[in-house]
Amino acid sequence: MTQHTTGPWMLRRHGKNHFTVHFVTDGPGLIADIHRNEDARLIAAAPDLLDALELILNCEGAALHGARTSAASKGLDVTYHFNAVRAALARARGEA
């Protein structure tokens, strides 16, 4: 697995349709030069999203137990959702 540049990543606006994303942990460095605000925000949030998905996997056992015992979770396919989290993490890590 290739290690990504650790976050946080910072978004900078340089005009109406010009954005750059920089890492800030080892001094500022350019990650991406983007021309769509929506893409820039998503790229800048990538390290946080990766961390959040990894945290979600830590709750899998509790979620599976809750889905089996809670009336509010009846019919919820928890395994499907956790498999989607695993697939996204694998893609982010270069494993898929």
Side-chain angles (χ1 to χ4, degrees):
M1 171 176 82
T2 303
Q3 289 286 57
H4 66 84
T5 303
T6 58
W9 293 358
M10 180 176 57
L11 178 63
R12 291 186 182 155
R13 185 180 198 128
H14 300 282
K16 183 177 179 184
N17 293 312
H18 185 209
F19 307 87
T20 54
V21 178
H22 300 263
F23 63 89
V24 294
T25 51
D26 297 323
L30 182 66
I31 297 287
D33 190 347
I34 306 125
H35 295 279
R36 288 195 49 175
N37 184 35
E38 297 83 1
D39 295 338
R41 286 194 319 263
L42 182 60
I43 291 167
D48 297 325
L49 294 169
L50 180 63
D51 290 344
L53 288 174
E54 289 172 345
L55 287 171
I56 287 170
L57 282 184
N58 291 333
C59 302
E60 184 174 14
L64 289 168
H65 175 74
R68 287 191 300 268
T69 60
S70 169
S73 300
K74 189 173 182 176
L76 179 64
D77 188 352
V78 174
T79 301
Y80 168 81
H81 293 351
F82 278 96
N83 286 340
V85 168
R86 269 191 284 285
L89 283 170
R91 187 169 178 208
R93 294 172 179 154
E95 300 167 357

